[in-house]
């Protein structure tokens, strides 16, 4: 079934009034008809199984037939701190991170970041594009929430942002010892809030690693091979998903 996201204030007396861009998509792309089924999610983990009741010019009215918890969210939350990569790699990272269960993505400018977002208008456009990719990936993968892509953070601001997290990991190419990585992952509980900090193409500077350690980040290895920035984050998220996925 097709999936759409709504606000709670669109729910009224057993029906949902869907407005905005989705109306045109339903009418002119999907060509849905009265009686067809869809799933509408409130972005807070609740799904409404509905049928189309009425199609208007600027609104599609759905009748709620059943509501239940989405069931696709991790009990804990994963925060991906991603050093800004070159070109369009960030779009791929966001798409796949959302599919793998990330809760929030924080783009970060590190010392070796090649891409510089210094124009406020250009940065806003990028953020809008990245958030749209998150929405699309959330729909495709049946997420109960739409993961947020925050504004770009500087390195120190990112460390401060991560301060309250239960576990903070920093995959680092100079780190050695897979047994320590396994031991660290084994200590993570399914309900923990976990941060993963991934460097850009040039990796982290040693002083950044030391500063991250002082702020509670644990350097780990992801293996003997050097991974690209877009591979490292998705590898770390895959390992965390395996550890934190609910057995229910």
């Amino acid at each position: 079934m097709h999936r759409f996201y709504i606000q709670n204030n669109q729910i009224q007396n057993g029906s949902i009034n869907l407005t905005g861009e989705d109306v045109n998509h339903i009418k002119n792309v999907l060509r849905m008809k009265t009686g067809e089924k869809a799933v509408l999610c409130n972005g807070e983990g609740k799904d409404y199984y509905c049928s189309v009741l009425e199609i208007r010019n600027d609104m599609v009215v759905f009748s709620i037939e059943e509501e239940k918890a989405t069931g696709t969210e991790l009990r804990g939350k994963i925060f991906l701190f991603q050093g800004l990569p070159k070109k369009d790699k960030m779009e791929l990272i966001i798409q796949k991170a959302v599919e793998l269960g990330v809760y929030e993505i924080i783009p970060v400018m590190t010392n070796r970041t090649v891409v510089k977002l210094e124009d406020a208008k250009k940065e806003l456009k990028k953020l809008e594009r990245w958030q749209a990719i998150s929405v699309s990936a959330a729909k495709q993968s049946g997420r109960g929430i739409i993961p947020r892509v925050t504004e770009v953070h500087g390195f120190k601001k990112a460390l401060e942002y991560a301060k309250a997290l239960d576990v903070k990991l920093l995959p680092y190419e100079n780190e050695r010892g897979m047994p320590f990585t396994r031991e660290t992952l084994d200590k993570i509980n399914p309900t923990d809030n976990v941060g993963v900090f991934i460097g850009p193409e040039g990796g982290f500077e040693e002083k950044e690693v030391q500063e991250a350690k002082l702020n509670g980040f644990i350097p780990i290895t992801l293996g003997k091979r050097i991974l690209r920035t877009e591979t490292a984050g998705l590898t770390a998220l895959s390992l965390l998903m395996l550890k934190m996925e609910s057995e229910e």
Side-chain angles (χ1 to χ4, degrees):
M1 278 189 284
H2 298 295
R3 187 176 188 82
F4 305 98
Y5 289 92
I6 57 167
Q7 303 293 326
N8 283 323
N9 61 12
Q10 293 175 279
I11 306 169
Q12 297 177 358
N13 300 321
S15 65
I16 298 174
N17 298 328
L18 184 66
T19 56
E21 295 179 358
D22 284 329
V23 174
N24 179 66
H25 188 66
I26 288 170
K27 290 169 59 178
N28 301 315
V29 179
L30 300 177
R31 298 184 181 278
M32 292 180 69
K33 305 296 182 186
T34 302
E36 287 193 49
K37 310 291 185 182
V39 179
L40 279 66
C41 179
N42 69 349
E44 299 174 5
K46 183 175 286 187
D47 283 348
Y48 297 88
Y49 289 77
C50 304
S51 60
V52 177
L53 191 62
E54 185 181 355
I55 299 176
R56 305 176 187 172
N57 288 335
D58 60 350
M59 180 188 296
V60 179
V61 181
F62 286 89
S63 174
I64 299 173
E65 298 178 347
E66 183 183 8
E67 64 177 79
K68 55 185 178 181
T70 305
T72 58
E73 294 305 310
L74 300 173
R75 290 160 62 197
K77 297 174 181 176
I78 303 175
F79 295 76
L80 175 62
F81 296 80
Q82 175 63 53
L84 281 176
K86 294 184 290 187
K87 299 182 179 178
D88 296 330
K89 290 181 181 178
M90 192 66 177
E91 296 186 3
L92 173 69
I93 291 168
I94 292 168
Q95 182 189 66
K96 300 308 176 188
V98 170
E99 291 178 22
L100 289 169
V102 77
Y103 179 78
E104 192 170 272
I105 299 166
I106 303 94
V108 184
M109 296 275 287
T110 68
N111 289 337
R112 291 179 179 171
T113 298
V114 175
V115 178
K116 304 295 180 185
L117 296 179
E118 297 172 344
D119 185 297
K121 286 186 178 179
K122 287 183 179 178
E123 180 177 340
L124 181 59
K125 241 182 176 179
K126 279 273 189 188
L127 291 174
E128 288 175 350
R129 168 69 180 158
W130 291 343
Q131 190 62 51
I133 289 169
S134 177
V135 172
S136 178
K139 286 182 180 179
Q140 183 275 323
S141 55
R143 293 292 302 270
I145 64 163
I146 299 173
R148 184 169 79 104
V149 182
T150 73
E151 73 277 7
V152 177
H153 284 49
F155 186 76
K156 291 182 183 296
K157 185 179 177 182
L159 295 181
E160 182 65 25
Y161 193 80
K163 200 169 185 179
L165 299 181
D166 300 309
V167 182
K168 292 172 277 192
L169 305 175
L170 187 137
Y172 183 45
E173 66 269 16
N174 291 336
E175 201 65 24
R176 294 290 180 269
M178 282 302 288
F180 178 72
T181 296
R182 294 190 190 96
E183 179 184 323
T184 302
L185 293 174
D186 282 343
K187 292 178 181 177
I188 295 174
N189 296 312
T191 55
D192 282 341
N193 291 335
V194 182
V196 182
F197 207 146
I198 304 296
E201 279 89 352
F204 292 110
E205 291 186 351
E206 182 59 34
K207 63 180 181 180
E208 289 176 323
V209 175
Q210 295 307 316
E211 190 172 355
K213 288 172 70 174
L214 289 174
N215 282 271
F217 275 86
I218 304 170
I220 60 171
T221 181
L222 296 177
K224 296 179 181 179
R225 294 150 299 283
I226 296 177
L227 304 179
R228 293 179 184 271
T229 184
E230 65 270 29
T231 310
L234 301 182
T235 300
L237 291 178
S238 297
L239 292 172
L240 286 171
M241 184 180 67
L242 181 65
K243 175 65 180 174
M244 299 173 68
E245 190 75 71
S246 173
E247 294 182 3
E248 295 178 2

